[in-house]
Amino acid sequence: MQNVTCVELRIPVKAIDEETFAQLKAAFMALGGSEESNVLTGEAAHVAWFEVSNNQQEQYLRLKTAAQVLGINEQDIHIATLNDDWATAWQDHWTAMPIGKSLCVRPSFCEVLPDRGVDVVLDPGQAFGTGTHPTTYLCLEAIEDYCLKQPPQSLLDMGAGSGLLAIAAGKMGAKNIVCIDYDPLSVEACEVNANINDVSLDSILGDTPPSHTFELVVANILFQPLLDMVQPLAASVEKHLILSGILDSQVEALITAYQNQGLTHACTRLKEEWAVVELIR
């Protein structure tokens, strides 16, 4: 019989947002987590792994109850005990993903796509942002379009998470890249992922944009934080701003807030119910 190694909690992305799931992970001291997409169905899920307690039945109940308190329906809460092969079994849910005209985002265990000129390697981990979420996908498309015209001479990735957006920009020629995140795990993930992809960047712990300006600023966060930091974030934009992490129903309010800071709406990109807003100075 195999030795039990961890308990897995899996909740569909449509049922819980990243921030709330991160709080759930922290509350139960998760060993790690990721956002995974089933390659056959395309359905995405937030996943976390926990050390097995002496009383697994009680552990299951506590996890389930905590998720229900957060408003998750019982049918969307999937808890399982995984055996020795758990560390590699989850890889079946991942594949290399083509984005835009030239980008490929892939875990290290997936083969390079032959028709893609820009290869970004990013393994799922504690910091979110592996390209599977519609907002991340849209941001990467917007960054690629900008870089194809002329790579920015400076770039700020505010709320960088795994550093994916900044790293992709760096592989397309962006210079003087700064990543900022309030989570120490994200700061570390940015540094690790940048090294893997041979991209030079500064990863900083914080929750406020710097006082100086950047040619291109990207922020894939959430609607409310984007409103809360409208003044300093808009002030950090020299030419172009890419905002995401918002629903299409929130687009107009966000555009108005940033236009009031002197920026001009350039375009909006939509995928499913999610949106990316681009503004220029």
Side-chain angles (χ1 to χ4, degrees), residues 30-275:
L31 299 171
S34 72
E35 182 182 309
E36 299 180 3
S37 290
N38 188 299
V39 297
L40 298 177
T41 66
E43 293 182 357
H46 294 306
V47 186
W49 302 286
F50 305 90
E51 186 176 347
V52 177
S53 73
N54 293 329
N55 189 332
Q56 288 185 53
Q57 186 174 3
E58 180 184 347
Q59 185 178 19
Y60 273 40
L61 181 60
R62 289 176 64 226
L63 284 169
K64 181 179 176 181
T65 301
Q68 288 178 312
V69 167
L70 293 172
I72 312 303
N73 293 325
E74 184 175 1
Q75 63 267 26
D76 288 326
I77 305 168
H78 306 282
I79 305 172
T81 302
L82 305 183
N83 295 319
D84 285 341
D85 60 353
W86 77 275
T88 56
W90 58 270
Q91 295 180 4
D92 294 338
H93 295 283
W94 289 87
T95 185
M97 182 166 55
I99 297 174
K101 303 174 182 68
S102 61
L103 273 169
C104 170
V105 178
R106 65 179 178 90
S108 58
F109 50 82
C110 288
E111 293 295 323
V112 180
L113 295 178
D115 61 339
R116 299 271 118 178
V118 182
D119 182 46
V120 179
V121 177
L122 194 74
D123 283 325
Q126 289 182 308
F128 289 99
T130 49
T132 59
H133 195 278
T135 57
T136 309
Y137 189 99
L138 290 170
C139 276
L140 288 169
E141 284 189 330
I143 290 169
E144 182 190 47
D145 285 347
Y146 190 96
C147 290
L148 285 175
K149 296 172 186 175
Q150 185 172 332
Q153 293 304 298
S154 59
L155 181 143
L156 169 64
D157 185 353
M158 191 67 205
S162 63
L164 171 58
L165 302 179
I167 290 166
K171 298 202 83 165
M172 290 185 286
K175 310 290 185 186
N176 301 309
I177 301 169
V178 174
C179 293
I180 298 180
D181 203 288
Y182 70 91
D183 185 349
L185 289 175
S186 292
V187 174
E188 181 182 358
C190 285
E191 294 172 348
V192 170
N193 292 327
N195 288 333
I196 290 171
N197 287 277
D198 197 25
V199 169
S200 177
L201 56 76
D202 291 326
S203 187
I204 300 170
L205 182 67
D207 57 7
T208 305
S211 57
H212 59 283
T213 61
F214 297 80
E215 178 180 341
L216 177 61
V217 177
V218 296
N220 182 17
I221 314 177
L222 291 168
F223 176 70
Q224 193 57 51
L226 288 174
L227 283 184
D228 292 342
M229 68 174 71
V230 59
Q231 228 173 349
L233 192 60
S236 71
V237 179
E238 181 183 320
K239 288 187 178 180
H240 201 96
L241 175 63
I242 299 171
L243 300 175
S244 192
I246 59 173
L247 298 168
D248 56 4
S249 60
Q250 299 168 330
V251 165
E252 290 305 318
L254 197 67
I255 290 173
T256 299
Y258 279 83
Q259 283 181 331
N260 289 339
Q261 298 299 316
L263 299 177
T264 301
H265 179 230
C267 70
T268 298
R269 301 169 187 257
L270 299 172
K271 184 176 175 66
E272 297 170 14
E273 73 270 32
W274 298 94

